[in-house]
């Protein structure tokens, strides 16, 4: 049986639910870098797992790893990597929108500018955005 971190990293919602239901895993555990299960799920693009953690387990979407990154950071990191694929870009936009709608500070969206992404979406607040 995987750990909660591993289940989130792999997008294994069934195993994650089993671990939680049987008190064998915690959604508040951290790896050696201080990353939480939510961060691993976001980084892997596992939207169903992210939705379960945020809505079902009420994890802190603003929790920070040891280096100060949040789940939003990992979503923007992946959005930048997907810039050449419209389908992949939409997937990451959906992830970012969900995080913002569920408590991620919109100020964190300034990372879009840090990652060199255009700030063209009204829901992404960025110093260079005209949609404020």
């Amino acid at each position: 049986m995987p750990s909660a971190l591993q289940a989130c990293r792999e997008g294994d919602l069934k195993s994650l639910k089993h671990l939680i239901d049987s008190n064998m895993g915690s959604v508040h555990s951290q790896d050696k870098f201080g990353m939480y299960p939510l961060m691993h799920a976001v980084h892997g693009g596992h939207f169903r797992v992210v939705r379960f953690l945020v809505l079902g387990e009420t994890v802190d979407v603003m929790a920070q790893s040891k280096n100060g990154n949040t789940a939003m950071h990992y979503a923007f990191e992946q959005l930048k990597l997907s810039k050449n694929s419209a389908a992949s870009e939409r997937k990451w936009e959906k992830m970012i929108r969900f995080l913002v709608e569920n408590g991620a500070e919109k100020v964190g969206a300034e990372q879009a500018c840090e990652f060199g992404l255009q700030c063209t979406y009204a829901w992404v607040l960025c110093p260079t955005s005209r949609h404020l």
Side-chain angles (χ1 to χ4, degrees), residues 60-82:
D60 180 7
V61 297
M62 290 304 299
Q64 295 183 353
S65 64
K66 287 181 181 177
N67 63 0
N69 291 335
T70 65
M72 183 72 88
H73 169 89
Y74 296 106
F76 274 116
E77 183 177 75
Q78 294 302 317
L79 175 61
K80 181 179 180 183
L81 294 173
S82 72

Side-chain angles (χ1 to χ4, degrees), residues 3-12 16 26-50 53 59-60 63 65-66 69-75 77-78 91-92 95 99:
S3 68
L5 288 165
Q6 184 178 356
C8 288
R9 190 177 309 116
E10 296 172 0
D12 188 349
L16 178 62
S26 170
V27 297
H28 305 290
S29 59
Q30 293 178 283
D31 65 13
K32 66 182 179 180
F33 302 107
M35 288 180 65
Y36 291 91
L38 175 64
M39 295 172 183
H40 284 285
V42 167
H43 188 266
H46 306 299
F47 187 76
R48 290 177 355 120
V49 175
V50 170
L53 290 169
V59 296
D60 180 7
S65 64
K66 287 181 181 177
N69 291 335
T70 65
M72 183 72 88
H73 169 89
Y74 296 106
E77 183 177 75
Q78 294 302 317
K91 169 185 170 177
W92 291 106
M95 183 78 75
L99 291 170

